[in-house]
Amino acid sequence: MPPDNDYTNKELMAAFVASEIADGEAVSVGASLPVCRAGILLAHLTHAPNLKVQISFTITNLRNVEVLPAFEFITDWRAGRWAEFLYNHDIGPDLYKRRRQAIFFIGGLQIDAYGNSNLIGIGSDFHHLKMRGPGGVGTASMGTNIGRYYLYTNAHNKQTLTERLDWRSCFGFGDGGADARTRLHLPGGGPRYCITPLCIFDFEETSKRMRLKSLHPGVTLEQVLDHTGFKPVVPDHVPTTPGPTPEQLRLLHERIDTDGVLRRP
Amino acid sequence: MPPDNDYTNKELMAAFVASEIADGEAVSVGASLPVCRAGILLAHLTHAPNLKVQISFTITNLRNVEVLPAFEFITDWRAGRWAEFLYNHDIGPDLYKRRRQAIFFIGGLQIDAYGNSNLIGIGSDFHHLKMRGPGGVGTASMGTNIGRYYLYTNAHNKQTLTERLDWRSCFGFGDGGADARTRLHLPGGGPRYCITPLCIFDFEETSKRMRLKSLHPGVTLEQVLDHTGFKPVVPDHVPTTPGPTPEQLRLLHERIDTDGVLRRP
Amino acid sequence: MTDGKRKDVIIGEDEAAGWIRDGMVISIGGFLNSSHPMPIIRAIIRNGIKNLTIVGAASAGLETDLLIGAGCAKTVIAPMISGESLAPIGPSFRYFAQRGAIEVVELDEHMYYQGLRAAAELMPSLPWRGGIGTDYAKINPRLKEFDDPVTGERLLAVAAINIDIALIHAAAADPFGNVQHIGTGFGDRAHHRAADRTIVTVDKVIANEEVRANPYRTSIAGVDAVVRAPYGSHPFASPGEYLEDAAHIREYVAAASARLKSGDNGPFDEYLQKYIVEPKNHAAYLTRIGFERILSLYEL
Amino acid sequence: MTDGKRKDVIIGEDEAAGWIRDGMVISIGGFLNSSHPMPIIRAIIRNGIKNLTIVGAASAGLETDLLIGAGCAKTVIAPMISGESLAPIGPSFRYFAQRGAIEVVELDEHMYYQGLRAAAELMPSLPWRGGIGTDYAKINPRLKEFDDPVTGERLLAVAAINIDIALIHAAAADPFGNVQHIGTGFGDRAHHRAADRTIVTVDKVIANEEVRANPYRTSIAGVDAVVRAPYGSHPFASPGEYLEDAAHIREYVAAASARLKSGDNGPFDEYLQKYIVEPKNHAAYLTRIGFERILSLYEL
């Protein structure tokens, strides 16, 4: 629920995403996560002019595109009109060394307290799942190898943010501990934050358990705890997630999200 | 030494190469083995119109090229003018399943009685070789995986055709035996013939030792044995390698070898 | 024997579909709502082919879901089956998987490509690190944990994914099997290399001279068969040629979702009857869709 | 901080050469007598860089031989070092290897590409079958025999070949590091992917708009540095731009062969002095070669 303000909660989340992206990094502009798409492009049009933007299986720079239409499907070739380079999807395994400066967003049917996630399904019998998920796509590999990634969910509830996954399709910090990843020789840094409609979580340094980092404006600690299926670490002081600046809102409205996807309820 | 005839020994060898190539196969037209190049193109212009010709890192069909100039270097991009497809050299490992219908020619500083070959060097101390070779290029991999290949040498002498290799860089039939390759799970069929300026060898079925298959016109059995460093299997009857037809010679002279490389002493 | 001429590889859709037999391993190219060889997919269903192992795209779309729904699949190998916003999870995939009626080979996108590469390389398996620490190896018997021979690090061996026939859709090919995609062709090359034979449906057949004028554009050389099929990816998009027919896809999703939600086969069977069983070929299918709809799928 | 503009990556040849330090692992792109980044190679020699591990091309040419001859190499990784008909085996490579003065990492072309891919994939090794039954694993400690975890078949694990800096020559690039080779670019992509940083010398810098007009032609996106160097592959060819300068290459081969045959360093040192030490940069080198020779290297 956005506060009495001139921006929506999704616009706030997009601004947070933008603040996380450094100039020169490589990012993928997908279709399924409009908030992440908007955040990436917001960074690109402000402090990250050298972003390496992957869009519809091309790599390019969108800095000079006046209005960036949002395509409903990742395969939409109309986004290929800006291409500087086309990549064949099957060379993905060979790009990780060059993706150390890349970041990625990973969702899940379930996400646990240590940042592991599940896209396989819900239910304890793999051959008779109660709810068959779409499949893990590239999350296991990206989560293993990429410099850092962000967990993202639109559903902050106890079913999604859960103490135990039914199936682990992407390794975050396993069963926890500062060496959870290095013990397994995983080259990537793992999840940095988990972004939800209510708050941002980071990971406590020694346990690697999720810790409340900031609450979105108007959200209370109790609300978060009531809707989270695990007990996050809660520091003494929890700041408020900062909202977008007027200039960021202008860019969102005029160039990035002209259809108002982030302004819909 | 070619007999009193209107073709050279190299033209005869090229005709033999041509006779080995079936329509629709994939072949590489390199620069370093002019006899093999000529044989491949001879097949292409006669009975193999659907050959898949690899030339200067392209794949194409050269059937309609009036005169096929011989380029001195494999990298010569002028041969790219006929390209239907360009392949990146680094995807080589991924092409073997599709290369089952491919054939290849492999040379060596040394070739032994079981069709193994050496491009590493001469001498027993690897760190102080008496003669450092160029390196094995792709022969170990091609020899392992490709449908069949041909050993080829311009130097029929005891140093080259030797009982023991100093170093084995390409596996033919190892230490011999009908199961020499299947025992090691090597998918390719191994060497089919060994082509020299004096004769053609095949491989005896159960021992996989080289066997005299045919003598080039004017060459005697004694000549071969005198110049071969191992004892090949010699059948009771050894036929003569057939020479090129007048039509084949015409194609060689007018379209394939207009510079007369195969007619030089 | 040969008549001395270069042979073209263009064949009809029925002949192409006839290559596919019960129990084979087939792959379907494209990605999500784009680039699927639909005339062949529909013919497979019409021909009543069963027990296929289907290697979907890295993100398979509803064409794979349709084959599952029509009962053609025994096993499915794909890191995801989805229609994006039109159906986040394939509804027939859900229905069959949840009942244990298909075998699902669960893997991640790059395990998948390592498996396809292993096949292309005539290797028994290739290793991959992604998936270490997850449940993949517990539920997929084609994955095996082992220690890297050089450093001892824990890795997964991914068994080769060998394909009998790869099915691909592309914008164009010449009569000799030189394919030119618009856009990248997604993972289609990996399917082709892992397959014994490849069939490509194309929106357009182009002259060999056109290929030679643009050889950099050739994405796959030497496929085994080319099937001319304008609008051959409908209801899915073909990059640069036409967009997806979202209304038709929604019609399919509604039919498949009815069975998922209530077990009612009726709507799904009606969909099959109307769009696959009755129209005996691609032209008949397009006739049923109609020019008005087809011409509305603006490419830009 | 940023001034809000997209940054170009064009740097000068001296700055580029300055990236390369004693003891690094560098790779050199191209193939045999084609496409080597010679201004950087010459600067490496001029700068007196030592103890390099040189990853040559799959078939490395005499540019690698030159670096060995000039004493810059400690280790060489290449499946072949040759100047084709001009020098079937690199003469400096022979001289140094036969005296045990360089470490030769002996491997086959596809072992080599598996090693480069392992690096690109952040993997410790990748397996390969080619070489089973040969002596490679006996003489190359980076190869290790093991049993495939799935089938038990005997394979070789090829340790990752990680590169600090990849050096490539191409026809063109835009100011932002989008490279467009004429021809295929050989194995240059594999070097780039296995490397922390990539420097490309180009015959021509082209506008970003030209790249966008032909994005299918872009072979490598986002290299770390572009060095403008017309005729930058001389004495080797640059596909579509100029042929190799066979006379110059023969001059090099004669100098290097003199040392191989008689141990006489004189001719080799003279070659270095004349073409590398005295001309302090690429323009000075071309001046020494002269316009007459350069213009004779007809591209067609």
Side-chain angles (χ1 to χ4, degrees):
Chain A
M1 197 66 46
D4 245 15
N5 212 325
D6 56 351
Y7 57 85
T8 67
N9 202 32
K10 283 183 179 159
E11 288 173 332
L12 169 130
M13 290 162 79
F16 179 80
V17 166
S19 72
E20 277 298 305
I21 292 168
D23 195 23
E25 293 186 318
V27 290
S28 208
V29 173
S32 57
L33 300 174
V35 164
C36 300
R37 169 194 172 274
I40 291 165
L41 294 175
L42 195 49
H44 191 32
L45 298 188
T46 55
H47 62 276
N50 297 290
L51 226 51
K52 288 160 181 156
V53 181
Q54 279 179 245
I55 184 164
S56 199
F57 309 89
T58 75
I59 296 178
T60 192
N61 184 297
L62 299 175
R63 181 89 177 162
N64 294 327
V65 179
E66 194 50 37
V67 173
L68 293 154
F71 297 108
E72 190 171 357
F73 304 113
I74 195 175
T75 51
D76 197 322
W77 178 241
R78 291 175 296 182
R81 72 182 74 167
W82 303 301
E84 291 180 345
F85 175 70
L86 283 73
Y87 63 92
N88 306 335
H89 194 252
D90 59 287
I91 63 157
D94 297 348
L95 300 183
Y96 282 110
K97 185 162 200 165
R98 284 287 174 173
R99 267 185 184 156
R100 280 180 162 165
Q101 272 197 296
I103 63 170
F104 201 69
F105 297 86
I106 290 180
L109 302 169
Q110 298 176 317
I111 296 170
D112 75 14
Y114 297 105
N116 308 294
S117 48
N118 170 20
L119 280 166
I120 291 172
I122 306 296
S124 58
D125 177 357
F126 174 68
H127 300 288
H128 295 84
L129 292 168
K130 276 184 244 152
M131 201 282 257
R132 167 67 231 190
V137 218
T139 58
S141 296
M142 294 294 261
T144 295
N145 289 317
I146 211 161
R148 68 181 191 279
Y149 67 91
Y150 296 83
L151 292 160
Y152 179 92
T153 182
N154 286 319
H156 193 139
N157 59 47
K158 290 189 172 190
Q159 289 69 51
T160 303
L161 297 171
T162 177
E163 183 65 41
R164 264 190 80 80
L165 304 178
D166 290 358
W167 301 97
R168 187 192 286 173
S169 54
C170 177
F171 187 96
F173 294 107
D175 299 321
D179 66 344
R181 294 181 63 89
T182 51
R183 209 162 53 209
L184 297 180
H185 307 283
L186 307 185
R192 183 167 159 87
Y193 297 132
C194 177
I195 302 166
T196 88
L198 298 183
C199 65
I200 312 289
F201 293 107
D202 63 2
F203 294 86
E204 194 273 321
E205 290 71 15
T206 55
S207 67
K208 293 295 180 185
R209 197 173 168 86
M210 272 199 214
R211 175 173 65 187
L212 200 53
K213 175 189 151 61
S214 69
L215 292 163
H216 298 344
V219 177
T220 65
L221 173 61
E222 289 63 40
Q223 247 181 300
V224 168
L225 296 179
D226 281 356
H227 290 81
T228 305
F230 53 80
K231 229 183 122 41
V233 179
V234 180
D236 293 342
H237 173 67
V238 182
T240 301
T241 316
T245 65
E247 171 64 7
Q248 285 181 317
L249 281 175
R250 188 187 67 76
L251 289 168
L252 286 173
H253 299 168
E254 293 178 9
R255 293 182 63 187
I256 295 168
D257 182 36
T258 52
D259 291 343
V261 173
L262 304 192
R263 296 196 297 282
R264 282 178 210 148
Chain B
M1 198 67 43
D4 247 12
N5 211 326
D6 56 353
Y7 57 85
T8 66
N9 201 32
K10 284 184 177 160
E11 287 173 333
L12 168 131
M13 291 163 78
F16 179 79
V17 166
S19 73
E20 277 297 306
I21 292 168
D23 196 22
E25 293 186 319
V27 289
S28 209
V29 174
S32 58
L33 300 174
V35 164
C36 301
R37 168 194 173 274
I40 290 164
L41 294 175
L42 194 50
H44 191 31
L45 298 188
T46 55
H47 63 274
N50 298 290
L51 225 49
K52 289 161 183 155
V53 181
Q54 279 179 245
I55 184 164
S56 198
F57 309 91
T58 75
I59 296 179
T60 192
N61 185 297
L62 299 175
R63 181 90 177 160
N64 292 327
V65 179
E66 194 50 38
V67 173
L68 292 154
F71 297 107
E72 189 172 357
F73 304 113
I74 196 177
T75 51
D76 198 322
W77 178 241
R78 291 175 295 183
R81 73 183 75 167
W82 304 301
E84 291 180 346
F85 175 70
L86 282 73
Y87 63 93
N88 307 335
H89 193 251
D90 59 288
I91 64 160
D94 297 350
L95 301 183
Y96 281 110
K97 186 163 199 162
R98 285 286 174 173
R99 267 184 186 157
R100 279 179 164 166
Q101 272 195 295
I103 64 169
F104 201 69
F105 296 86
I106 289 179
L109 302 170
Q110 298 176 320
I111 297 171
D112 74 14
Y114 297 106
N116 309 295
S117 47
N118 170 20
L119 280 166
I120 292 172
I122 306 297
S124 58
D125 177 358
F126 174 67
H127 299 289
H128 296 84
L129 292 169
K130 275 184 246 156
M131 202 281 259
R132 168 68 233 190
V137 217
T139 57
S141 296
M142 295 294 261
T144 295
N145 288 317
I146 211 161
R148 68 180 191 280
Y149 67 90
Y150 296 83
L151 291 161
Y152 179 90
T153 184
N154 286 318
H156 193 140
N157 59 46
K158 292 189 171 190
Q159 289 69 51
T160 303
L161 298 170
T162 175
E163 183 65 42
R164 264 190 80 78
L165 305 177
D166 290 358
W167 301 96
R168 188 192 285 172
S169 54
C170 178
F171 186 95
F173 294 109
D175 300 322
D179 66 344
R181 294 181 64 89
T182 52
R183 208 162 51 208
L184 297 181
H185 307 282
L186 307 185
R192 185 167 159 86
Y193 297 131
C194 177
I195 302 167
T196 88
L198 298 183
C199 66
I200 312 287
F201 294 107
D202 63 2
F203 294 87
E204 194 273 322
E205 289 71 16
T206 54
S207 68
K208 292 296 180 185
R209 198 172 168 87
M210 271 199 215
R211 175 173 65 188
L212 200 53
K213 175 188 151 60
S214 70
L215 291 163
H216 299 342
V219 177
T220 65
L221 174 60
E222 289 63 37
Q223 246 180 303
V224 168
L225 296 179
D226 281 354
H227 289 81
T228 305
F230 55 80
K231 228 182 122 44
V233 178
V234 180
D236 293 343
H237 174 67
V238 181
T240 300
T241 316
T245 66
E247 171 63 5
Q248 285 181 316
L249 281 175
R250 189 187 66 76
L251 289 168
L252 285 174
H253 299 168
E254 294 177 10
R255 292 182 64 187
I256 295 169
D257 181 36
T258 50
D259 291 342
V261 173
L262 304 192
R263 296 198 296 284
R264 282 179 210 148
Chain C
M1 282 306 291
T2 165
D3 63 359
K5 289 220 185 88
R6 194 176 178 188
K7 281 197 294 266
D8 74 55
V9 298
I10 298 180
I11 64 176
E13 54 182 282
D14 289 340
E15 184 182 348
W19 290 14
I20 294 134
R21 305 292 172 82
D22 284 0
M24 275 188 170
V25 182
I26 64 164
S27 65
I28 306 173
F31 207 90
L32 294 166
N33 287 305
S34 187
S35 307
H36 307 300
M38 295 310 294
I40 311 292
I41 305 273
R42 286 188 291 266
I44 289 170
I45 297 171
R46 220 160 36 235
N47 292 348
I49 303 299
K50 301 284 174 210
N51 292 317
L52 295 175
T53 291
I54 300 177
V55 179
S59 284
L62 299 177
E63 78 300 335
T64 299
D65 198 69
L66 169 65
L67 278 170
I68 295 168
C72 303
K74 178 169 162 263
T75 302
V76 182
I77 304 178
M80 181 188 224
I81 301 181
S82 166
E84 292 202 87
S85 56
L86 302 175
I89 308 170
S92 299
F93 170 56
R94 278 191 66 184
Y95 182 74
F96 279 70
Q98 290 172 190
R99 295 157 66 97
I102 49 167
E103 181 200 6
V104 178
V105 177
E106 196 81 37
L107 37 57
D108 162 277
E109 188 168 290
H110 293 161
M111 298 173 203
Y112 162 91
Y113 281 129
Q114 294 296 78
L116 289 170
R117 274 192 192 169
E121 296 177 351
L122 305 179
M123 292 282 282
S125 75
L126 277 180
W128 191 239
R129 198 196 303 266
I132 287 295
T134 71
D135 289 332
Y136 277 104
K138 294 179 197 156
I139 52 184
N140 179 349
R142 296 172 181 232
L143 303 173
K144 190 149 179 209
E145 288 200 20
F146 76 110
D147 296 327
D148 179 78
V150 174
T151 64
E153 293 168 52
R154 201 75 176 155
L155 302 171
L156 289 174
V158 186
I161 301 171
N162 282 288
I163 297 166
D164 292 317
I165 300 183
L167 301 173
I168 287 169
H169 180 80
D174 78 2
F176 307 115
N178 292 302
V179 179
Q180 297 195 331
H181 285 82
I182 295 177
T184 69
F186 311 109
D188 289 359
R189 291 165 186 79
H191 287 178
H192 170 69
R193 292 174 189 156
D196 285 336
R197 286 185 292 173
T198 301
I199 298 170
V200 180
T201 63
V202 292
D203 288 307
K204 203 191 295 185
V205 175
I206 57 177
N208 178 253
E209 286 78 1
E210 192 171 337
V211 164
R212 287 176 183 246
N214 290 286
Y216 291 87
R217 287 288 310 278
T218 305
S219 44
I220 303 177
V223 298
D224 303 275
V226 170
V227 177
R228 182 173 175 270
Y231 301 102
S233 181
H234 185 274
F236 305 104
S238 185
E241 301 283 348
Y242 40 91
L243 293 181
E244 63 290 328
D245 182 347
H248 184 100
I249 297 172
R250 282 196 194 92
E251 201 178 329
Y252 166 78
V253 169
S257 299
R259 177 158 67 181
L260 173 65
K261 282 174 195 144
S262 63
D264 175 11
N265 279 309
F268 192 88
D269 288 345
E270 274 169 45
Y271 179 91
L272 286 189
Q273 195 62 30
K274 181 171 175 190
Y275 293 112
I276 294 175
V277 178
E278 286 172 10
K280 297 289 180 212
N281 58 35
H282 185 53
Y285 168 81
L286 290 178
T287 304
R288 185 135 300 186
I289 300 300
F291 270 114
E292 192 164 335
R293 178 70 69 82
I294 291 293
L295 296 189
S296 76
L297 306 172
Y298 187 32
E299 63 277 13
L300 188 69
Chain D
M1 284 306 294
T2 164
D3 63 358
K5 289 218 185 88
R6 192 175 180 191
K7 281 197 295 268
D8 73 53
V9 298
I10 298 181
I11 63 175
E13 54 182 282
D14 289 339
E15 185 181 346
W19 291 14
I20 293 134
R21 306 293 173 83
D22 284 0
M24 275 188 170
V25 183
I26 65 165
S27 65
I28 306 173
F31 207 90
L32 292 168
N33 287 306
S34 186
S35 306
H36 307 300
M38 295 308 294
I40 311 292
I41 305 272
R42 286 188 292 265
I44 289 170
I45 297 172
R46 219 159 36 235
N47 292 346
I49 303 298
K50 301 285 172 209
N51 291 316
L52 294 175
T53 291
I54 300 176
V55 179
S59 285
L62 299 178
E63 78 300 336
T64 299
D65 198 68
L66 169 64
L67 278 171
I68 295 169
C72 304
K74 178 169 161 262
T75 302
V76 181
I77 304 179
M80 180 188 225
I81 300 181
S82 166
E84 292 202 86
S85 56
L86 302 175
I89 307 170
S92 298
F93 170 55
R94 278 191 66 185
Y95 181 74
F96 278 71
Q98 289 172 191
R99 296 159 65 97
I102 49 167
E103 182 200 7
V104 178
V105 177
E106 196 81 37
L107 34 57
D108 161 276
E109 187 167 290
H110 292 162
M111 300 173 201
Y112 162 90
Y113 281 128
Q114 294 296 76
L116 289 170
R117 273 192 191 170
E121 297 178 350
L122 305 180
M123 293 281 282
S125 76
L126 278 180
W128 192 238
R129 198 195 303 267
I132 287 295
T134 71
D135 289 331
Y136 276 105
K138 293 179 197 157
I139 52 183
N140 178 349
R142 295 171 182 233
L143 303 173
K144 191 151 179 206
E145 287 202 20
F146 76 110
D147 296 328
D148 180 77
V150 175
T151 65
E153 293 168 53
R154 200 76 174 154
L155 301 172
L156 289 174
V158 186
I161 301 172
N162 282 288
I163 296 166
D164 292 317
I165 300 183
L167 302 174
I168 287 170
H169 181 79
D174 77 1
F176 308 116
N178 292 302
V179 179
Q180 296 195 332
H181 285 83
I182 295 177
T184 69
F186 311 108
D188 289 359
R189 290 166 186 78
H191 287 178
H192 170 70
R193 291 173 189 156
D196 285 336
R197 287 185 290 172
T198 300
I199 298 170
V200 180
T201 62
V202 293
D203 289 307
K204 203 191 295 184
V205 175
I206 57 178
N208 178 254
E209 287 77 2
E210 192 171 338
V211 165
R212 287 177 183 245
N214 290 287
Y216 291 87
R217 287 288 309 278
T218 306
S219 44
I220 304 178
V223 297
D224 303 274
V226 170
V227 176
R228 181 172 176 271
Y231 301 102
S233 181
H234 184 275
F236 306 104
S238 185
E241 299 284 347
Y242 41 91
L243 293 180
E244 63 290 327
D245 182 346
H248 184 100
I249 297 173
R250 280 196 196 94
E251 200 178 328
Y252 167 77
V253 169
S257 298
R259 177 159 66 182
L260 173 66
K261 280 174 198 146
S262 63
D264 175 10
N265 279 309
F268 193 87
D269 288 345
E270 273 168 47
Y271 179 91
L272 287 189
Q273 195 62 28
K274 179 170 178 192
Y275 293 112
I276 295 176
V277 177
E278 285 172 10
K280 297 289 182 211
N281 58 35
H282 185 51
Y285 168 81
L286 290 179
T287 303
R288 185 136 296 186
I289 300 300
F291 269 113
E292 192 163 336
R293 179 69 69 82
I294 291 294
L295 296 190
S296 76
L297 306 172
Y298 189 33
E299 64 277 13
L300 188 69

